[in-house]
Amino acid sequence: ERVVGTSRIGPRLVAIARQRAHSGIPKHYDYMNYMLTLHTPLLGPDNEGGAGMVVNGSKRDWNVGDPIVMDTTFAHETYNDCDKDVYLLLVDFWHPDLSMDEIDALRTFLAQNSGV
């Protein structure tokens, strides 16, 4: 695990993702209510309304530089009906309602059960 000091860095990832033109990810969810995920579009269609995500029935368009924070325990899906790929910065981070003791316990549990 790569943690600096008492950082609240989440357990899953920091990544650049690509949503190809004319594609989508079907509706899905997880059981990880101890973290939130930030989606920030970096490149792609801007203010066109043709690319984005639906979280718990609420549609959110992706606009370059406009971050969206979501709880992945709610059903969510993505869509890109545009002619351009969309590139996103994805950052998982600990839910802000967690105490440091809870974060420490989750780090220990995840380290022991993820093969890391």
Side-chain angles (χ1 to χ4, degrees), residues 7-79:
S7 174
R8 293 173 83 93
I9 295 171
R12 284 199 301 194
L13 62 86
V14 173
I16 303 292
R18 177 177 64 181
Q19 178 76 56
R20 293 182 187 269
H22 304 289
S23 71
I25 298 174
K27 190 182 296 185
H28 62 284
Y29 59 92
D30 63 34
Y31 298 103
M32 298 181 197
N33 66 350
Y34 49 85
M35 77 174 97
L36 298 176
T37 302
L38 171 89
H39 288 223
T40 302
L42 302 173
L43 295 169
D46 197 19
N47 297 317
E48 294 181 19
M53 57 195 318
V54 179
V55 180
N56 201 31
S58 178
K59 183 179 175 185
R60 298 290 308 269
D61 292 335
W62 283 330
N63 296 304
V64 172
D66 184 15
I68 298 171
V69 174
M70 61 170 290
D71 179 339
T72 58
T73 63
F74 291 98
H76 55 283
E77 61 190 294
T78 67
Y79 61 93

